[in-house]
Amino acid sequence: MTDRSPTEDSTPSAVFTRQGDTWHPSVLSRGPWDPRAQHGGAPCGLFVHVAEQAMGEPGWQLGRLTVELIRPVPVSPLRTEVVKQASRATARLSIDLFDGSTLVARAHALMLRQQAIRLPEGVPGWTPARLLPLPADCTDKLRIPGLPDGVSFYGSAVETRNAQGDPSQPGGGAAWFRLAVPFVDGMPTSPAMRAIAAADFGNGLSWVLPAERYVFANADLSLHLHRLPVGEWIGLQSQTQADASGAGVTLSQLFDEQGSIGVAAQTLVLRERG
């Protein structure tokens, strides 16, 4: 299957299509900074898919995924290489993503073997129990100032609903995200793939520098899940800190409609536009 060029009447049916050992990203993978480069959520979701497929059996869940975005990931054919080390309770996978012979991104996944245990009642948590309002009670789409219109991961592959804060103003905020298309053509999108796709929006959701004057791209993303999300909507509550040295960090808490599911962190590279 080959990707179709977007028209007014049609867009690709998935973010990626697999042909043999090659991953073909569609225009739905595009990011906000360059139409030739992918949004970080696209390769991050692909990494989760590759890690889950590499386990080869049910009963494992993603505990952590750390992604290093070494170069802009192009909207062009890619391939992956996987190294796995497994024990009875955990498995660690290193996944490299190549554009030809060039390494463009690398992920380290920690998979946990699921084991039901009984917890005492009232186990305390340090994150808010729920993100409110819930998606059904939110009406406004998340609109991040300065991001271009057109077919892209942000604009076409993901549905958004603003939950807290004013996205037209700098500062922290919260929003709900739902994938509108499959990540990989012909394959189900797993709960962990939904979580990582939302997590990469943290620096845009909680922007502190105007996109017309600055680039605030993330060089990495680290997601930690204490449970897999239930349902299609993933909530993100994010806060960004920026420094005049050109570095920044975004910290996010992740939710489903039942409550907290984990946390994420992004290291930001801040630059003034030409």
Side-chain angles (χ1 to χ4, degrees):
M1 176 180 176
T2 57
D3 296 329
R4 295 173 295 169
S5 297
T7 67
E8 293 182 358
D9 300 319
S10 66
T11 56
S13 58
V15 181
F16 290 94
T17 299
R18 184 173 187 175
Q19 293 180 325
D21 296 330
T22 304
W23 303 96
H24 294 267
S26 73
V27 291
L28 295 176
S29 68
R30 282 178 177 169
W33 310 115
D34 185 334
R36 298 167 297 178
Q38 294 184 38
H39 186 281
C44 288
L46 180 62
F47 278 132
V48 174
H49 174 74
V50 171
E52 292 176 334
Q53 292 296 304
M55 296 311 299
E57 61 177 349
W60 294 86
Q61 71 180 51
L62 182 73
R64 171 182 55 82
L65 184 77
T66 298
V67 176
E68 301 282 351
L69 298 169
I70 299 168
R71 297 172 180 266
V73 179
V75 183
S76 60
L78 304 166
R79 63 182 179 88
T80 50
E81 293 183 2
V82 182
V83 176
K84 181 173 71 172
Q85 296 176 317
S87 63
R88 293 179 60 185
T90 65
R92 291 169 170 81
L93 300 96
S94 295
I95 309 169
D96 289 344
L97 186 64
F98 291 92
D99 171 27
S101 61
T102 302
L103 179 66
V104 294
R106 171 173 289 163
H108 301 281
L110 173 64
M111 306 295 293
L112 307 177
R113 187 181 291 278
Q114 295 171 329
Q115 177 66 55
I117 63 173
R118 290 183 295 178
L119 296 177
E121 293 186 6
V123 175
W126 61 273
T127 58
R130 301 181 76 188
L131 175 60
L132 298 173
L134 296 175
D137 300 318
C138 301
T139 57
D140 294 333
K141 178 180 177 180
L142 175 67
R143 298 186 182 278
I144 301 173
L147 296 194
D149 296 325
V151 179
S152 67
F153 192 76
Y154 161 70
S156 310
V158 177
E159 297 179 36
T160 63
R161 294 185 184 178
N162 191 58
Q164 297 175 7
D166 181 354
S168 69
Q169 300 299 317
W176 292 97
F177 299 83
R178 178 170 67 180
L179 284 165
V181 297
F183 246 107
V184 179
D185 188 44
M187 299 292 291
T189 299
S190 72
M193 292 167 71
R194 298 182 187 279
I196 195 76
D200 195 70
F201 281 96
N203 58 323
L205 172 63
S206 62
W207 65 275
V208 294
L209 299 171
E212 296 88 350
R213 295 176 53 197
Y214 297 90
V215 172
F216 42 89
N218 55 304
D220 66 4
L221 170 63
S222 187
L223 170 71
H224 297 257
L225 295 175
H226 62 265
R227 70 173 176 88
L228 293 176
V230 176
E232 295 185 342
W233 287 101
I234 304 296
L236 204 62
Q237 192 173 54
S238 304
Q239 185 72 49
T240 292
Q241 298 289 333
D243 187 77
S245 65
V249 65
T250 297
L251 302 177
S252 301
Q253 297 178 15
L254 282 84
F255 303 82
D256 62 11
E257 295 188 61
Q258 298 179 7
S260 174
I261 61 171
V263 296
Q266 297 166 289
T267 303
L268 307 184
V269 179
L270 312 177
R271 295 292 183 266
E272 293 184 79
R273 292 188 182 273

